[in-house]
Amino acid sequence: METVEETKARLAAGHPSGKGQATPSRKQQEALNKRPLVPDDRKLAAKQARGKAAEARDRARVGMAAGDDRFLPQRERGPQKRFVRDYVDARFNIGEFMIPVMFLVILLTFFPDPMVQTYGILALWAFFLVAVVDCVILGFTLTRKVKAKFGEPKAERVRWYAAMRALQLRPMRLPKPQVKRGQYPA
């Protein structure tokens, strides 16, 4: 909004008042607002749509890897799930090494000696039992810690979520680990 002095100066300088052009007719205004329902160049429009979709997917992938709640699936959202993720990521989990141990046992089955194959399978079962016990202990510990931090009525069931995360190789987890080993959440 201009001041009184600015208005007087503008009028004294001889600037024409008004907008300087005629008001467009309704027909002209509607013609300006018309857009085709289907674009003229369908290939270009499809290419642009694919580009936008790829950009949105990349944003979502980066956001999910970073642990941004907007891009996480519903089951991964919330402060309790973040606490569980951080606790599992800070801890040394035996189950992380399940896939490499299984791969090793598969390699041992190629040996012609049946004793090597038998010991490999027994070692796999023993490792599996130790990993299950580790996940059960993790579940009890996390349930207690979540109840202490967030309160009894707010505590969700997090055992299965924690166990599934603990059984994944650390580099393969999504969202990516946000804490280093030993850096437990407060």
Side-chain angles (χ1 to χ4, degrees), residues 80-125:
Q80 291 177 351
K81 297 295 175 86
R82 178 176 294 281
F83 178 82
V84 170
R85 283 195 302 270
D86 289 347
Y87 189 87
V88 170
D89 293 340
R91 180 177 186 269
F92 174 78
N93 302 296
I94 295 171
E96 288 181 50
F97 302 103
M98 182 68 73
I99 293 174
V101 168
M102 286 180 171
F103 184 71
L104 183 66
V105 169
I106 289 172
L107 290 179
L108 288 177
T109 60
F110 288 120
F111 279 89
D113 187 11
M115 288 304 289
V116 172
Q117 295 174 357
T118 304
Y119 287 134
I121 296 294
L122 289 176
L124 176 65
W125 278 106

Side-chain angles (χ1 to χ4, degrees), residues 42-57:
R42 284 173 153 318
K43 288 185 180 181
L44 179 63
K47 187 175 183 180
Q48 289 172 343
R50 280 193 304 272
K52 284 182 183 179
E55 184 180 313
R57 278 193 309 272

Side-chain angles (χ1 to χ4, degrees), residues 60-76:
R61 182 182 49 77
V62 169
M64 183 173 179
D68 188 351
D69 269 355
R70 293 176 297 165
F71 299 106
L72 293 176
Q74 189 64 37
R75 65 184 163 82
E76 307 261 349

Side-chain angles (χ1 to χ4, degrees), residues 17-65:
S17 62
K19 56 188 178 190
Q21 62 187 14
T23 303
S25 69
R26 181 176 185 156
K27 187 176 183 179
Q28 291 171 333
Q29 197 64 30
E30 286 177 350
L32 288 175
N33 289 335
K34 280 188 178 179
R35 289 180 194 88
L37 292 175
V38 179
D40 292 336
D41 189 359
R42 284 173 153 318
K43 288 185 180 181
L44 179 63
K47 187 175 183 180
Q48 289 172 343
R50 280 193 304 272
K52 284 182 183 179
E55 184 180 313
R57 278 193 309 272
D58 285 343
R59 254 193 336 270
R61 182 182 49 77
V62 169
M64 183 173 179

